[in-house]
Amino acid sequence: ALEQLAAASEVDVVMAAIVGAAGLSPTIAAARAGKQILLANKESLVMAGGLMMQAVIEGGASLLPIDSEHNAIFQCLPNLNGSRSCDLEKIGVRRILLTGSGGPFRTRERASLLNVDPAAACKHPNWSMGPKITIDSASLMNKGLELIEAHHIFGIKHLLSQFWNSQGSILLGSS
């Protein structure tokens, strides 16, 4: 039912924000139908990025990342015929910088990390998030997922991708 709704002729824009694997099918349906996709979940790209981006290209869809880091990077890139997915090296982009606050453990000594528990990991100094994303953030797992997401959104092939600790969460992305 969600696939049909996402691909319906009356629909111009699809907000892809269903968490987990449940969001993949409707997002691909929207891409194949040539919709403008506002991508808020990373799972579709982490699970099936190649398939997803192929559907975007073949369906003539457009993809706008609305997650903070990827949207910040998107806004830094030149608008090339309505798309920002291109050969980034050709237009002079040498690297993509994904940022992170450092989470609740940013000032701790490495040895003390052996004794942390989920309750400590859930005490993020800057954000109030659900337990899964907070644990993913504290363990840097979320940064790995964001790197996979950036690879697909921006067509990163051999660019150097880096992480930078922005303790105040001021800088969210840069290219």
Side-chain angles (χ1 to χ4, degrees):
L2 287 176
E3 293 85 357
Q4 293 166 339
L5 184 62
S9 60
E10 303 85 19
V11 174
D12 296 321
V13 179
V14 172
M15 170 76 76
I18 299 172
V19 177
L24 180 60
S25 243
T27 306
I28 288 179
R32 288 181 175 150
K35 306 300 179 184
Q36 180 180 17
I37 301 168
L38 308 178
L39 188 65
N41 88 357
K42 64 177 56 69
E43 291 90 347
S44 294
L45 291 174
V46 170
M47 288 185 304
L51 180 65
M52 177 74 194
M53 295 312 294
Q54 181 180 352
V56 166
I57 292 165
E58 290 175 0
S62 62
L63 184 76
L64 173 63
I66 61 173
D67 183 40
S68 55
E69 289 88 345
H70 296 87
N71 187 273
I73 292 165
F74 186 84
Q75 291 180 52
C76 291
L77 298 174
N79 188 345
L80 304 167
N81 300 321
S83 171
R84 289 188 175 84
S85 182
C86 59
D87 185 340
L88 295 179
E89 291 177 280
K90 263 189 190 167
I91 62 169
V93 176
R94 292 186 329 253
R95 66 181 176 172
I96 296 287
L97 179 64
L98 291 173
T99 63
S101 68
F105 307 130
R106 67 177 170 229
T107 59
R108 296 194 51 176
E109 294 293 324
R110 181 180 289 199
S112 75
L113 296 176
L114 295 172
N115 301 314
V116 300
D117 60 13
C122 284
K123 292 179 181 169
H124 198 285
N126 299 348
W127 307 111
S128 176
M129 307 175 285
K132 182 192 181 311
I133 186 66
T134 305
I135 296 292
D136 283 354
S137 177
S139 66
L140 295 178
M141 180 66 186
N142 195 50
K143 289 299 142 192
L145 298 175
E146 287 176 357
L147 184 60
I148 294 167
E149 188 180 9
H151 163 77
H152 292 296
I153 293 172
F154 304 114
I156 297 171
K157 291 180 178 58
H158 305 294
L159 290 178
L160 175 63
S161 295
Q162 296 179 320
F163 298 124
W164 183 66
N165 186 352
S166 172
Q167 291 185 6
S169 299
I170 305 298
L171 179 66
L172 293 175
S174 178
S175 63

Short mmCIF file of all heavy atoms in Angstrom, two decimals, residues 35-38 53 56 60-65 74-75 77-86 153-154:
data_model
loop_
_atom_site.label_atom_id
_atom_site.label_comp_id
_atom_site.label_asym_id
_atom_site.label_seq_id
_atom_site.Cartn_x
_atom_site.Cartn_y
_atom_site.Cartn_z
N LYS A 35 9.70 10.74 -8.54
CA LYS A 35 9.29 11.72 -7.53
C LYS A 35 10.49 12.50 -6.98
O LYS A 35 11.63 12.06 -7.08
CB LYS A 35 8.57 11.03 -6.36
CG LYS A 35 7.42 10.15 -6.76
CD LYS A 35 6.35 10.92 -7.49
CE LYS A 35 5.20 10.01 -7.89
NZ LYS A 35 4.20 10.70 -8.67
N GLN A 36 10.19 13.64 -6.40
CA GLN A 36 11.20 14.35 -5.62
C GLN A 36 11.18 13.68 -4.25
O GLN A 36 10.15 13.65 -3.58
CB GLN A 36 10.90 15.83 -5.50
CG GLN A 36 11.95 16.56 -4.69
CD GLN A 36 11.67 18.05 -4.56
OE1 GLN A 36 10.58 18.51 -4.80
NE2 GLN A 36 12.69 18.77 -4.17
N ILE A 37 12.32 13.15 -3.82
CA ILE A 37 12.40 12.41 -2.57
C ILE A 37 13.17 13.24 -1.55
O ILE A 37 14.31 13.65 -1.80
CB ILE A 37 13.09 11.05 -2.78
CG1 ILE A 37 12.30 10.22 -3.80
CG2 ILE A 37 13.23 10.31 -1.45
CD1 ILE A 37 13.04 8.99 -4.28
N LEU A 38 12.53 13.49 -0.42
CA LEU A 38 13.19 14.15 0.71
C LEU A 38 13.61 13.02 1.64
O LEU A 38 12.79 12.42 2.32
CB LEU A 38 12.23 15.10 1.41
CG LEU A 38 11.53 16.13 0.51
CD1 LEU A 38 10.57 16.99 1.32
CD2 LEU A 38 12.53 16.96 -0.25
N MET A 53 19.98 4.28 -5.74
CA MET A 53 20.47 5.33 -6.63
C MET A 53 20.21 4.98 -8.09
O MET A 53 19.95 5.87 -8.91
CB MET A 53 21.95 5.60 -6.37
CG MET A 53 22.22 6.16 -4.98
SD MET A 53 21.17 7.55 -4.47
CE MET A 53 21.68 8.82 -5.61
N VAL A 56 16.71 6.03 -8.69
CA VAL A 56 16.63 7.49 -8.80
C VAL A 56 17.02 7.92 -10.22
O VAL A 56 16.32 8.71 -10.87
CB VAL A 56 17.54 8.18 -7.76
CG1 VAL A 56 17.74 9.65 -8.07
CG2 VAL A 56 16.97 8.00 -6.35
N GLY A 60 14.31 9.11 -13.11
CA GLY A 60 14.35 10.56 -13.27
C GLY A 60 13.94 11.30 -12.00
O GLY A 60 13.51 12.44 -12.05
N ALA A 61 14.11 10.64 -10.87
CA ALA A 61 13.75 11.24 -9.58
C ALA A 61 14.84 12.20 -9.13
O ALA A 61 15.95 12.21 -9.68
CB ALA A 61 13.56 10.14 -8.54
N SER A 62 14.53 13.00 -8.14
CA SER A 62 15.56 13.82 -7.50
C SER A 62 15.58 13.44 -6.02
O SER A 62 14.56 13.06 -5.45
CB SER A 62 15.27 15.31 -7.67
OG SER A 62 14.05 15.67 -7.06
N LEU A 63 16.75 13.52 -5.45
CA LEU A 63 16.95 13.10 -4.06
C LEU A 63 17.55 14.26 -3.28
O LEU A 63 18.62 14.76 -3.64
CB LEU A 63 17.89 11.89 -4.02
CG LEU A 63 18.14 11.28 -2.66
CD1 LEU A 63 16.93 10.45 -2.24
CD2 LEU A 63 19.37 10.40 -2.69
N LEU A 64 16.86 14.69 -2.25
CA LEU A 64 17.35 15.75 -1.38
C LEU A 64 17.54 15.18 0.01
O LEU A 64 16.57 14.79 0.66
CB LEU A 64 16.36 16.92 -1.33
CG LEU A 64 16.68 18.03 -0.33
CD1 LEU A 64 18.00 18.71 -0.69
CD2 LEU A 64 15.56 19.03 -0.27
N PRO A 65 18.79 15.09 0.47
CA PRO A 65 19.00 14.61 1.84
C PRO A 65 18.57 15.69 2.83
O PRO A 65 18.97 16.84 2.70
CB PRO A 65 20.51 14.38 1.90
CG PRO A 65 21.08 15.31 0.87
CD PRO A 65 20.03 15.45 -0.20
N PHE A 74 25.19 18.99 1.02
CA PHE A 74 24.43 19.22 -0.20
C PHE A 74 24.38 20.72 -0.51
O PHE A 74 24.56 21.14 -1.66
CB PHE A 74 23.02 18.66 -0.02
CG PHE A 74 22.16 18.71 -1.25
CD1 PHE A 74 22.23 17.71 -2.21
CD2 PHE A 74 21.25 19.74 -1.43
CE1 PHE A 74 21.43 17.74 -3.34
CE2 PHE A 74 20.44 19.77 -2.55
CZ PHE A 74 20.53 18.77 -3.50
N GLN A 75 24.16 21.53 0.51
CA GLN A 75 24.06 22.97 0.31
C GLN A 75 25.40 23.60 -0.06
O GLN A 75 25.43 24.68 -0.66
CB GLN A 75 23.51 23.64 1.57
CG GLN A 75 22.06 23.31 1.81
CD GLN A 75 21.53 23.97 3.05
OE1 GLN A 75 21.68 25.18 3.22
NE2 GLN A 75 20.94 23.20 3.94
N LEU A 77 27.51 22.28 -2.19
CA LEU A 77 27.87 21.88 -3.55
C LEU A 77 27.17 22.75 -4.58
O LEU A 77 26.06 23.23 -4.36
CB LEU A 77 27.51 20.41 -3.78
CG LEU A 77 28.23 19.41 -2.88
CD1 LEU A 77 27.68 18.01 -3.10
CD2 LEU A 77 29.73 19.45 -3.12
N PRO A 78 27.80 22.95 -5.74
CA PRO A 78 27.14 23.73 -6.78
C PRO A 78 25.94 22.98 -7.34
O PRO A 78 25.91 21.76 -7.36
CB PRO A 78 28.23 23.89 -7.85
CG PRO A 78 29.16 22.75 -7.62
CD PRO A 78 29.11 22.46 -6.15
N ASN A 79 24.95 23.73 -7.80
CA ASN A 79 23.76 23.14 -8.40
C ASN A 79 24.06 22.86 -9.87
O ASN A 79 24.21 23.77 -10.66
CB ASN A 79 22.58 24.11 -8.26
CG ASN A 79 21.28 23.48 -8.69
OD1 ASN A 79 21.25 22.44 -9.34
ND2 ASN A 79 20.20 24.12 -8.32
N LEU A 80 24.18 21.59 -10.22
CA LEU A 80 24.51 21.19 -11.58
C LEU A 80 23.27 20.59 -12.24
O LEU A 80 22.96 19.43 -12.05
CB LEU A 80 25.65 20.17 -11.58
CG LEU A 80 26.91 20.64 -10.86
CD1 LEU A 80 27.85 19.48 -10.62
CD2 LEU A 80 27.58 21.73 -11.66
N ASN A 81 22.54 21.42 -12.97
CA ASN A 81 21.30 20.99 -13.64
C ASN A 81 20.30 20.39 -12.66
O ASN A 81 19.69 19.37 -12.91
CB ASN A 81 21.61 19.97 -14.75
CG ASN A 81 22.52 20.55 -15.80
OD1 ASN A 81 22.38 21.72 -16.16
ND2 ASN A 81 23.46 19.77 -16.29
N GLY A 82 20.16 21.02 -11.51
CA GLY A 82 19.19 20.57 -10.53
C GLY A 82 19.64 19.39 -9.69
O GLY A 82 18.91 18.90 -8.86
N SER A 83 20.86 18.91 -9.90
CA SER A 83 21.36 17.76 -9.16
C SER A 83 22.69 18.12 -8.54
O SER A 83 23.44 18.92 -9.07
CB SER A 83 21.54 16.57 -10.10
OG SER A 83 22.20 15.53 -9.43
N ARG A 84 22.99 17.51 -7.43
CA ARG A 84 24.31 17.72 -6.84
C ARG A 84 25.07 16.42 -6.77
O ARG A 84 26.09 16.32 -6.14
CB ARG A 84 24.16 18.37 -5.46
CG ARG A 84 23.70 19.82 -5.60
CD ARG A 84 23.74 20.52 -4.29
NE ARG A 84 23.42 21.92 -4.38
CZ ARG A 84 22.21 22.44 -4.40
NH1 ARG A 84 21.16 21.67 -4.39
NH2 ARG A 84 22.03 23.73 -4.43
N SER A 85 24.56 15.40 -7.42
CA SER A 85 25.27 14.13 -7.52
C SER A 85 26.03 14.16 -8.84
O SER A 85 25.44 14.25 -9.90
CB SER A 85 24.29 12.96 -7.50
OG SER A 85 25.01 11.76 -7.54
N CYS A 86 27.33 14.14 -8.76
CA CYS A 86 28.15 14.27 -9.96
C CYS A 86 29.54 13.74 -9.64
O CYS A 86 29.77 13.21 -8.58
CB CYS A 86 28.21 15.74 -10.37
SG CYS A 86 28.91 16.80 -9.09
N ILE A 153 24.79 9.19 -1.84
CA ILE A 153 24.16 10.46 -2.18
C ILE A 153 25.04 11.30 -3.09
O ILE A 153 24.57 11.87 -4.08
CB ILE A 153 23.82 11.28 -0.91
CG1 ILE A 153 22.73 10.59 -0.11
CG2 ILE A 153 23.38 12.70 -1.29
CD1 ILE A 153 22.47 11.23 1.24
N PHE A 154 26.32 11.37 -2.77
CA PHE A 154 27.21 12.28 -3.48
C PHE A 154 28.12 11.59 -4.49
O PHE A 154 28.96 12.23 -5.10
CB PHE A 154 28.05 13.08 -2.47
CG PHE A 154 27.21 13.83 -1.49
CD1 PHE A 154 27.22 13.50 -0.14
CD2 PHE A 154 26.36 14.85 -1.90
CE1 PHE A 154 26.43 14.18 0.76
CE2 PHE A 154 25.56 15.53 -1.01
CZ PHE A 154 25.59 15.19 0.33
#
